[in-house]
Amino acid sequence: WLRLGLLALTAERYEQAQGFLTGVLTDEPFNELANFNLARIADRDQDYDAAIAFYDSVPEGDFFLSSKLRAAELSAKQGDVDRGIARLRELAPIAAGTAMKVELISTESRILVSADRLDEAIAVLTNGLEQHPGDAELLYARAITAERHGDNQRMEDDLAQLLAADPDNAHALNALGYHLAVNNKRLDDAQTYLEKAITLQPGDAAITDSLGWLRYRQGRLEEAKQLLSDAYAILPDGEIAAHIGEVLWMMGDTAGARAVWKTALESEPDHKVLNEVVDRLVK
């Protein structure tokens, strides 16, 4: 039954997979793979109560920590942020090794950011960096959180520290280059960062989008249009749609811009960046 369930899951035949895996639990209530994959199916279907119950039934093993982390995130997603954080902190005594401890800190910060409790998220990450100085994951997370909180200097300082230790970190190069491009400052530096990032990870949608936005800021509209079109073809994301629409609008192709925005809004009607651009340029 377990093998059939996993095969059905691989084939994306979720109802069949669910039936087979549920059958496994009749004889083995705490079967690791059955509970973990039933949790994933319920998670996918946004049946979060069922997902949490299955994640909690995963016994100690390869999937134990990831199950507990996701259960904590889902508790917070349902509105009980403090319960989600408490779940994470219950895992602290069994967190073995730096990687596991950093994952707990990162997950807690993500939960707090999602709840718009940015001061607390930065405090958690700062405390984590005191315990794990220079950790790349925590530095990157604090940089992105600081930017969202409006602390641009901390964001730039954290990314600069990260890049001093790891000059080929494409995510950090992209984040810093995009930040500069969005704020329309030090565009030569932004170009250095983003051109290096795209060399390290060619075809990456986020980096291609960032480079396209930089070209827009530099007034190189044809290049911007091409890069943003390439990024949107790879990843039809609301923010990329906002960018390509703005470039088209500034090039005088208002019909093209409206078409891109309309399609994107049908998929993501509440996308913040997309709606801000449409409101600013159209309304």
Side-chain angles (χ1 to χ4, degrees):
W1 289 116
L2 179 60
R3 288 182 180 180
L4 286 170
L6 296 177
L7 283 170
L9 190 60
T10 301
E12 299 183 356
R13 296 165 67 171
Y14 298 109
E15 288 188 16
Q16 282 188 320
Q18 197 169 34
F20 290 133
L21 295 171
T22 301
V24 174
L25 299 185
T26 302
D27 295 323
E28 298 181 51
F30 296 102
N31 184 287
E32 181 182 21
L33 282 172
N35 276 295
F36 181 69
N37 285 292
L38 282 167
R40 289 174 60 207
I41 293 169
D43 200 337
R44 171 188 170 275
D45 293 339
Q46 298 185 5
D47 184 356
Y48 296 137
D49 286 331
I52 290 170
F54 284 125
Y55 282 130
D56 279 341
S57 296
V58 173
E60 288 194 30
D62 293 340
F63 301 104
F64 179 76
L65 180 62
S66 59
S67 296
K68 295 300 184 185
L69 291 174
R70 185 57 182 161
E73 288 185 297
L74 291 181
S75 292
K77 193 178 184 72
Q78 288 185 301
D80 197 346
V81 174
D82 292 330
R83 175 58 184 145
I85 291 172
R87 278 176 166 271
L88 291 175
R89 293 182 178 175
E90 289 167 5
L91 296 172
I94 64 169
T98 299
M100 188 180 290
K101 291 174 182 176
V102 166
E103 185 62 27
L104 288 175
I105 296 165
S106 296
T107 304
E108 183 172 346
S109 73
R110 285 198 303 274
I111 287 174
L112 290 166
V113 168
S114 295
D116 207 30
R117 291 162 58 171
L118 301 181
D119 286 329
E120 293 174 73
I122 290 173
V124 164
L125 291 165
T126 299
N127 183 58
L129 282 163
E130 289 172 359
Q131 299 171 46
H132 309 284
D135 182 86
E137 183 177 344
L138 297 180
L139 272 174
Y140 183 82
R142 190 172 71 172
I144 300 306
T145 306
E147 181 185 37
R148 182 167 173 173
H149 195 36
D151 189 349
N152 290 339
Q153 191 58 57
R154 168 169 272 177
M155 187 263 196
E156 292 180 29
D157 289 346
D158 280 350
L159 289 177
Q161 182 182 343
L162 200 166
L163 288 169
D166 181 9
D168 291 337
N169 188 311
H171 294 297
L173 289 164
N174 180 52
L176 186 50
Y178 182 67
H179 167 77
L180 295 174
V182 165
N183 288 283
N184 205 22
K185 66 178 186 179
R186 292 168 47 203
L187 297 185
D188 288 344
D189 288 341
Q191 179 166 309
T192 299
Y193 298 137
L194 293 174
E195 288 182 350
K196 182 173 183 179
I198 202 69
T199 300
L200 291 167
Q201 290 192 8
D204 182 280
I207 299 172
T208 305
D209 171 62
S210 298
L211 188 57
W213 196 243
L214 171 65
R215 294 297 183 239
Y216 171 61
R217 290 298 199 194
Q218 293 172 323
R220 296 158 64 173
L221 299 186
E222 285 293 344
E223 291 179 62
K225 175 183 172 182
Q226 185 59 60
L227 285 162
L228 293 169
S229 297
D230 291 345
Y232 194 59
I234 299 167
L235 179 66
D237 169 78
E239 187 161 351
I240 301 175
H243 289 164
I244 189 171
E246 182 160 345
V247 170
L248 291 170
W249 190 274
M250 293 305 174
M251 294 176 75
D253 185 3
T254 57
R258 288 177 187 272
V260 171
W261 291 331
K262 181 177 182 295
T263 300
L265 284 169
E266 287 171 355
S267 300
E268 301 178 81
D270 299 321
H271 195 286
K272 184 179 178 181
V273 174
L274 182 56
N275 280 288
E276 284 176 352
V277 169
V278 173
D279 289 345
R280 173 164 52 85
L281 295 177
V282 178
K283 297 180 181 179

